[in-house]
Amino acid sequence: MAQKVMGSRPIGRPIRLSFYHLPMPPVVIITGPISREELKKHLLNDVLVKAVVDIEERMMAIGGTMHADEEQELLNKGSEQEHLWGINLYPDDFSEGFIEFDSMINIRPRQNNRSRGVEDPFIQKEIRAIVSFLVP
Amino acid sequence: MNLQTFHPGLTLEHWHALTLCEQLGNIGSEVGRALTAKKQHNHKRELAALDRALELFDLTIADPKHHGHCRELCRAREVVCDYFFGDNEYGSTPENLDRYFMVYAIAARRDR
């Protein structure tokens, strides 16, 4: 029976673990406008760029394979966790869908945010404004 | 054979340093994105998110700290594949799939 194919990798084929020893790409902090082409250099499997936005310092970390790595980089640079929110950017999407509010780092019971989304519409608006400035 | 990775630069050491809750929480994020994309009929985003989810599943199953008790991980992977690529024999719904992973994600972030 033909195997069902998911993307380019048939389901169930063991992955080659030796591929997973390459160094991690550096996380980049964006403080001024960049083009969508520059953003695309950080694409994750050709579709999205994971980003963490600091709504207080109005900057954004990109280039990590996980939001947690970008969050850590911003924390190391002095950001406060309550101001950090994880999003995904789809550079080929020119609609509202360019920004997706979905990250594990957004689950923050202390701030009453109990989902991967950003539940406060005011914070969503802030994030949209910052991203629009950084990726016009 | 043209094999590729979907999280460039993600190392085994880095992934295996995470707790099971963090690993499953991250897998759940990708599954959640696939569910959202499926709802929006965005096939490209759905497949891309599933590629990432299954890659993280496989790296988790390969984690030595789960050896001997990774039956649930394999079953969870099977359930996800069954929902997106199979006949949904497990009767999964977007809600119960998301809920399953959210428990781990919340546990991983409970002190934040």
Side-chain angles (χ1 to χ4, degrees):
Chain A
M1 194 177 79
Q3 212 171 4
K4 289 173 188 169
V5 174
M6 174 271 312
S8 58
R9 184 159 56 91
I11 299 166
R13 176 178 293 160
I15 55 171
R16 192 166 290 178
L17 294 179
S18 58
F19 282 16
Y20 295 93
H21 292 286
L22 299 170
M24 294 186 75
V27 171
V28 180
I29 310 288
I30 307 295
T31 54
I34 61 167
S35 67
R36 290 208 181 209
E37 288 311 308
E38 284 175 81
L39 185 66
K40 281 183 180 178
K41 291 177 186 165
H42 303 278
L43 275 175
L44 206 59
N45 74 328
D46 297 332
V47 177
L48 88 172
V49 176
K50 293 191 177 186
V52 173
V53 177
D54 182 332
I55 57 170
E56 180 70 12
E57 301 297 328
R58 308 187 83 74
M59 60 186 181
M60 175 170 82
I62 58 174
T65 50
M66 287 190 287
H67 286 113
D69 298 325
E70 295 163 345
E71 178 191 37
Q72 192 58 52
E73 188 70 20
L74 286 170
L75 289 172
N76 291 346
K77 294 206 180 302
S79 290
E80 292 180 30
Q81 192 176 43
E82 65 187 84
H83 300 138
L84 302 182
W85 297 94
I87 57 172
N88 303 306
L89 301 174
Y90 293 89
D92 288 329
D93 191 330
F94 288 85
S95 71
E96 272 213 335
F98 171 53
I99 303 176
E100 177 182 58
F101 300 98
D102 181 358
S103 167
M104 217 182 111
I105 72 159
N106 297 340
I107 301 170
R108 220 168 290 158
R110 250 180 345 119
Q111 284 174 260
N112 212 22
N113 200 88
R114 294 174 186 277
S115 72
R116 291 192 305 265
V118 176
E119 292 168 15
D120 185 334
F122 175 76
I123 295 176
Q124 279 199 20
K125 200 173 157 194
E126 280 289 287
I127 293 170
R128 283 194 188 279
I130 294 165
V131 172
S132 298
F133 169 72
L134 295 176
V135 190
Chain B
M1 189 192 307
N2 182 23
L3 287 178
Q4 58 178 311
T5 66
F6 301 109
H7 289 86
L10 177 62
T11 64
L12 275 181
E13 294 75 18
H14 187 64
W15 185 252
H16 291 177
L18 301 181
T19 65
L20 177 64
C21 288
E22 288 171 323
Q23 290 172 337
L24 282 170
N26 277 291
I27 293 169
S29 297
E30 300 299 357
V31 173
R33 283 169 206 136
L35 290 168
T36 302
K38 187 179 174 72
K39 194 173 166 186
Q40 295 167 345
H41 307 289
N42 190 330
H43 194 57
K44 186 182 173 192
R45 280 192 193 182
E46 180 189 338
L47 280 183
L50 284 169
D51 280 344
R52 297 192 300 273
L54 293 181
E55 179 176 56
L56 296 182
F57 255 127
D58 293 341
L59 291 175
T60 305
I61 290 165
D63 187 338
K65 69 176 174 283
H66 307 315
H67 281 178
H69 53 97
C70 62
R71 190 185 297 177
E72 176 160 337
L73 291 171
C74 295
R75 180 57 58 88
R77 187 190 194 282
E78 184 186 343
V79 170
V80 169
C81 289
D82 170 55
Y83 179 75
F84 286 98
F85 303 108
D87 301 324
N88 197 14
E89 290 175 31
Y90 289 99
S92 306
T93 63
E95 292 75 24
N96 70 27
L97 277 178
D98 203 44
R99 201 179 311 123
Y100 172 79
F101 291 104
M102 270 304 283
V103 172
Y104 294 101
I106 289 171
R109 304 286 300 181
R110 69 183 158 212
D111 298 326
R112 303 298 179 109

